[in-house]
Amino acid sequence: MDCCENLTPDFGGEPVFDVGKAIGRRTALKRLAGLASGIMFISGKHAYGQGRSVLLAFCGQLLCVIPYEVTRARGHFKEEGLDVRLVYCRGGAVAMQALVGRAVDYAGTAFDVALQAFARGAKIARFASTGRLPLFALASAPKTAKEIRSLKDLENRTVGVSGLGNADHILVIYLMKKAGADPDRVRFATLGPNLYDALRLGQVDAGMVQEPALTLITGGGGGMIANLMDSEEANRYLGGAYEFMGVAVRVEEREQRRDEMGRLARALAKGLRDTRTIPVKEAVAALPKELITGANRDRLAGILERYRQSLYPDNVKIDLAAANRVADAHRTAGLLASSVDHKALLDLSVVEK
């Protein structure tokens, strides 16, 4: 599972976000059931519709998931009087579909996903942030590691991305233009979320990878061009934080849910602080066994230890400058019209500090 899947949700070809074609809760649930098991499982004891559970859907990428599961495992949702069920989805687009289609109460997605949904008419509001850097690094293949050391070196090369218009593709274009390189001289290969093997085998010269692919590719002789999961590198290449994982609600329910939203935000803030400070093995132990079956727990713990201070803020207040960088990247890539006011997507009133 990856957070770099298609940013634009699609229910079998019917535009979800067109005005006048909003789908109902029942229809959304039916279509979600047919999306190749898009919703994987609900973390908690009860399934949908039983009791008064709050359903929060989100992308199942490991580094996105951890603060939410730590919040649940450490009892912070319960401390705020919430019975939160975490709904695992195959990508942020599916989570956003679930929110817009009224199948869940909240959606946690990359800001890229929320921004594109909003630009297409989705009536949503982003009110809390749980991730301040993109979960990507630009790496070169082992066979080209000595030749490709900078963004300029990507010109006339083949670069692997999950898909054209996805978050990783947008970032490559943005990084290259900021560095004075020409992305029009790059051949982009669309490889889906699992491009590790193509990079390892040298089928592409470079690619946008996540963890643990980054650790594996560099361990196998690949090169590092820009690691956006590291705060120092992000400052160098992006100019600072870059709004990533966070929570959205349907606008029409915002006022009636405002107290609940505040409690949810406070719980997640506690979970973020724990994620940054508790022993990493405790954080890994909070993850459902379904999610990490077959995974190397020691490697995951090492990755979390390396990145947790960079990736996770110590509060859930949305950083407007970080959100502006995402919008700037989308406009640079030609995927966001200048007429779209991305600030209207943000509700900064729920979290005061």
Side-chain angles (χ1 to χ4, degrees), residues 3 16 55 59 73 84 86 114 119 128 140 164 183 185 212 219-220 234 239 262 274 325:
C3 55
V16 178
L55 295 187
C59 162
V84 174
L86 302 177
S140 55
L164 299 181
R185 296 178 63 184
D274 284 350
R325 290 187 185 96

Side-chain angles (χ1 to χ4, degrees), residues 82-340:
L82 299 174
D83 179 16
V84 174
R85 304 304 182 192
L86 302 177
V87 183
Y88 282 70
C89 300
R90 292 190 183 277
V94 176
M96 187 57 67
Q97 287 175 343
L99 176 66
V100 174
R102 302 175 177 277
V104 297
D105 303 299
Y106 300 95
T109 72
F111 187 57
D112 302 83
V113 173
L115 182 58
Q116 286 299 319
F118 175 77
R120 287 165 171 77
K123 306 299 183 183
I124 56 173
R126 171 99 155 195
F127 66 92
S129 175
T130 60
R132 62 185 176 190
L133 292 178
L135 299 179
F136 299 106
L138 184 57
S140 55
K143 76 172 187 178
T144 59
K146 294 181 179 179
E147 304 164 16
I148 301 178
R149 298 177 178 271
S150 70
L151 289 156
K152 184 70 174 176
D153 294 335
L154 294 177
E155 292 180 349
N156 302 312
R157 297 285 188 167
T158 301
V159 177
V161 295
S162 64
L164 299 181
N166 284 4
D168 53 346
H169 178 228
I170 291 169
L171 276 167
V172 174
I173 295 173
Y174 187 54
L175 291 171
M176 290 189 71
K177 287 191 174 183
K178 283 177 69 70
D182 185 359
D184 290 336
R185 296 178 63 184
V186 171
R187 297 181 297 273
F188 286 103
T190 57
L191 302 171
N194 301 312
L195 54 82
Y196 165 70
D197 281 333
L199 188 59
R200 176 180 63 86
L201 296 172
Q203 295 170 350
V204 292
D205 299 311
M208 288 292 269
V209 295
Q210 297 182 296
E211 288 287 13
L214 176 62
T215 296
L216 295 172
I217 201 69
T218 54
M224 178 82 73
I225 303 169
N227 184 356
L228 304 180
M229 293 177 282
D230 177 86
S231 58
E232 290 186 7
E233 292 261 301
N235 287 337
R236 175 185 174 188
Y237 289 103
L238 297 172
Y242 189 90
E243 178 70 12
F244 203 67
M245 192 70 172
V247 185
V249 67
R250 289 182 290 274
V251 167
E252 65 201 66
E253 298 175 3
R254 178 168 46 181
E255 291 309 314
Q256 69 189 63
R257 290 187 180 273
R258 187 163 291 275
D259 175 69
E260 182 180 86
M261 291 160 62
R263 288 184 283 134
L264 183 63
R266 287 193 297 272
L268 287 169
K270 297 174 191 176
L272 282 167
R273 288 191 285 270
D274 284 350
T275 301
R276 290 165 54 90
T277 59
I278 65 176
V280 290
K281 290 190 176 180
E282 290 186 21
V284 172
L287 297 171
K289 65 180 186 302
E290 298 96 332
L291 193 65
I292 56 176
T293 297
N296 186 318
R297 287 174 177 260
D298 289 337
R299 180 185 294 140
L300 176 57
I303 290 168
L304 180 59
E305 184 65 71
R306 178 181 179 184
Y307 293 117
R308 61 178 175 170
Q309 299 302 321
S310 293
L311 293 177
Y312 308 119
D314 59 7
N315 63 75
V316 295
K317 185 176 181 179
I318 294 172
D319 181 341
L320 184 56
N324 290 345
R325 290 187 185 96
V326 180
D328 188 31
H330 282 238
R331 290 193 176 98
T332 299
L335 294 175
L336 187 68
S338 59
S339 59
V340 175

